[in-house]
Amino acid sequence: MGKLTAAFVKNAKPGKYGDGEGLYLEVKPNGRGRFFFIYQHAKKRRELGLGPTSIVPLANAREHASAAKL
């Protein structure tokens, strides 16, 4: 895990970016970003929102994603 950096998150252009092991960053055209975790449950793809980038730092998003895997 760990393809993204805090500097990249701060300056990211609109789009979706994977950090590894199911953690993603999504940046909307208005510049707002969010972290989310993708997992599979009962053979269906699910997304767990981890919070906006303005409140949740990358390190915390990684911790939450790691805890959600358990």
Side-chain angles (χ1 to χ4, degrees):
M1 187 188 268
K3 294 180 183 176
L4 301 177
T5 64
F8 179 83
V9 171
K10 183 178 179 181
N11 300 310
K13 303 286 185 207
K16 289 184 182 178
Y17 307 94
D19 187 51
E21 299 187 30
L23 178 62
Y24 289 86
L25 164 68
E26 178 181 29
V27 180
K28 299 286 185 177
N30 63 8
R32 292 187 177 177
R34 72 178 184 112
F35 291 109
F36 63 98
F37 176 67
I38 295 179
Y39 64 100
Q40 188 171 344
H41 179 72
K43 298 184 181 181
K44 291 191 176 186
R45 179 184 176 270
R46 308 280 186 193
E47 286 186 10
L48 174 64
L50 301 175
T53 57
S54 61
I55 297 173
V56 179
L58 177 59
N60 287 10
R62 286 178 176 155
E63 289 176 14
H64 291 299
S66 180
K69 285 188 269 188
L70 303 176

